[in-house]
Amino acid sequence: VGSATIKNALSEGTEGTTGTDAYQSIGSAYHASGSSYETDNGRTANHREDTQAGRKKKGSRFSWWRKARKASRKQSTNDGDDDDEDTYGYDAVDDRKRSRGRGHGPDKKSSRNRTPGSSSRSILPSPSAGTATVAAYVEKRDKDNFYQVKQRYGYLSIILTLLQTILLASMVAFCGLAPMNINEFIGPYPDALSEWGAKNAYLMLEMGQWWRFFTPQMLSVGVLHLLCNGYVQLTVGAFFEREWGSIRWGTIYFCSAVGSTIASTILDPNSISVGSSGALMGIFGAKMAEVLTMTAFETFHGRDGAAIEQLGGTLCSLAVVCILAVMPMIDWSGHMGGLATGFFLGMIVFGKLIRKLHLKAMWQLLGLALFIAGLGLAINELVNEVKPSD
């Protein structure tokens, strides 16, 4: 507007116009355009003072985001006319959004909170944006916030898959490749698996080889078995590790692996079994506990809708791993033991997301009680009831 006004002032000049008159005309046009800019964008002195006061107010860190979400909820009552004047400009997303990358606003720790590889700044609605624009922005931010991860790669998933590959190659190299009529998965002989640390209830309970509770998840029956488990571990499992962090993911993974071996020893003591399927089932059980927590309770993240969306992929991967349970040397009891262990641990770990203190304590204590009760019953069965044959 100011540029057009100045051009008109210059074009309307005549030979009789003095330099002072032309200068005053251009100056008045410039000031008029500046006032129009300040008015259109809402950047008045009072607005800046209100914004600064809001920043200092306790609890106002995410106020701009709450206003934007409120704006998106009002979209259903709006006719969709983006040309009308509304309050979804700087009232919905105020000046704090412009301070990203300078240590202000909700993205002060953006390097830790945002998805790795994404930009530190996002394109935000302009001051004159209408209801639909702001609602679309809020919806995109909701989806991006749900898929935020804590780290760029699933380090433990990659390391474990590499170790499992190396161990399988070593077994085949030192012990030979079994014929297809003995091992359909293209792998070593069954006695080689037992020698390298497979679950063998007689050696565990009668010979005191307790370390076999921890080693079966590092072994694979054969190449096909490793490919199936490795694919799930490097895709869905690695994503969950990026989302939860390696420490939390590793704790659930290894505890579920031990729970899987214990359940297999109790329910099927006379078989030899290996594989990381039980540990992966524990990861899926923990994800199911997270989804249940976020849908049944009011949580800090408020990601219940997106969590249900993620549940579909988890159930598909769960089905793939369950199919392996009917194969030789891979028992269903270990799968169920890992799933239950992971679910109970997930109740404890993700119960902290619940807002209300008494519900948080109730949910976490319930998960802890189920975990301890299951572990106690399992130890009693192992010591007093299980009698494997040699």
Side-chain angles (χ1 to χ4, degrees):
V1 176
S3 176
T5 306
I6 292 172
K7 289 180 179 180
N8 292 333
L10 292 173
S11 63
E12 290 175 1
T14 61
E15 295 181 357
T17 304
T18 64
T20 303
D21 295 337
Y23 176 80
Q24 291 177 351
S25 177
I26 294 173
S28 61
Y30 174 80
H31 289 299
S33 64
S35 300
S36 176
Y37 175 82
E38 293 290 336
T39 301
D40 291 341
N41 289 274
R43 306 182 67 87
T44 61
N46 292 335
H47 177 77
R48 288 194 295 271
E49 292 176 359
D50 294 342
T51 302
Q52 293 173 358
R55 290 175 184 168
K56 296 179 181 179
K57 184 178 179 182
K58 182 179 180 181
S60 64
R61 183 178 181 183
F62 296 103
S63 61
W64 71 274
W65 184 245
R66 290 195 296 269
K67 292 178 182 178
R69 289 182 61 84
K70 184 177 180 182
S72 66
R73 290 195 294 268
K74 288 184 179 179
Q75 182 188 7
S76 59
T77 60
N78 193 291
D79 294 333
D81 187 4
D82 293 342
D83 296 331
D84 295 340
E85 292 290 336
D86 51 45
T87 60
Y88 297 112
Y90 275 70
D91 291 335
V93 186
D94 61 24
D95 279 345
R96 274 172 286 181
K97 70 182 185 297
R98 306 295 181 188
S99 62
R100 288 183 177 179
R102 298 194 295 269
H104 303 291
D107 284 337
K108 186 175 182 180
K109 300 180 179 178
S110 58
S111 60
R112 184 187 68 180
N113 294 332
R114 69 173 183 272
T115 303
S118 63
S119 174
S120 60
R121 299 185 64 174
S122 59
I123 300 176
L124 298 160
S126 63
S128 59
T131 306
T133 303
V134 174
Y137 169 75
V138 172
E139 182 179 358
K140 181 179 182 301
R141 282 298 300 266
D142 282 343
K143 186 175 181 180
D144 292 344
N145 285 344
F146 175 72
Y147 290 107
Q148 282 182 352
V149 293
K150 294 184 176 181
Q151 56 194 50
R152 185 175 295 274
Y153 301 107
Y155 301 105
L156 276 180
S157 302
I158 297 173
I159 293 173
L160 288 172
T161 305
L162 288 175
L163 289 176
Q164 290 163 359
T165 304
I166 293 172
L167 287 173
L168 177 61
S170 301
M171 278 193 294
V172 173
F174 286 104
C175 304
L177 187 66
M180 291 292 293
N181 60 342
I182 297 179
N183 189 340
E184 299 88 348
F185 287 91
I186 313 176
Y189 289 89
D191 59 341
L193 294 173
S194 180
E195 291 293 330
W196 281 65
K199 185 220 82 177
N200 188 322
Y202 178 80
L203 296 178
M204 294 164 66
L205 301 180
E206 302 297 333
M207 306 299 293
Q209 297 182 5
W210 56 268
W211 47 270
R212 290 181 181 268
F213 284 104
F214 304 95
T215 54
Q217 69 269 14
M218 299 303 300
L219 304 176
S220 300
V221 176
V223 176
L224 299 180
H225 184 210
L226 177 64
L227 288 176
C228 293
N229 282 348
Y231 174 77
V232 175
Q233 192 163 272
L234 291 176
T235 53
V236 182
F239 178 79
F240 292 160
E241 182 184 354
R242 295 169 59 209
E243 184 181 12
W244 299 342
S246 295
I247 296 177
R248 183 183 298 175
W249 187 91
T251 301
I252 296 174
Y253 183 92
F254 290 110
C255 289
S256 300
V258 175
S260 169
T261 307
I262 292 175
S264 176
T265 304
I266 294 173
L267 299 176
D268 195 6
N270 295 321
S271 67
I272 296 175
S273 61
V274 296
S276 60
S277 304
L280 292 174
M281 293 288 284
I283 295 294
F284 298 146
K287 170 55 71 173
M288 293 171 63
E290 182 188 17
V291 173
L292 179 60
T293 301
M294 300 180 71
T295 52
F297 303 99
E298 181 183 0
T299 61
F300 288 105
H301 297 298
R303 308 183 304 183
D304 48 338
I308 295 176
E309 177 185 348
Q310 218 180 34
L311 180 62
T314 303
L315 293 178
C316 290
S317 301
L318 187 65
V320 171
V321 177
C322 285
I323 293 175
L324 298 176
V326 300
M327 301 297 180
M329 291 178 286
I330 305 173
D331 52 70
W332 63 270
S333 55
H335 286 66
M336 296 301 102
L339 182 67
T341 304
F343 186 83
F344 297 153
L345 290 174
M347 294 175 63
I348 301 171
V349 171
F350 300 110
K352 69 176 185 179
L353 301 177
I354 302 174
R355 284 182 176 271
K356 295 183 178 180
L357 185 60
H358 66 284
L359 293 178
K360 177 191 300 186
M362 179 196 71
W363 187 247
Q364 290 182 312
L365 288 176
L366 177 61
L368 181 62
L370 291 173
F371 179 78
I372 294 176
L375 182 61
L377 291 174
I379 294 175
N380 180 68
E381 288 289 325
L382 287 174
V383 174
N384 301 319
E385 301 297 334
V386 178
K387 302 297 180 182
S389 63
D390 55 358

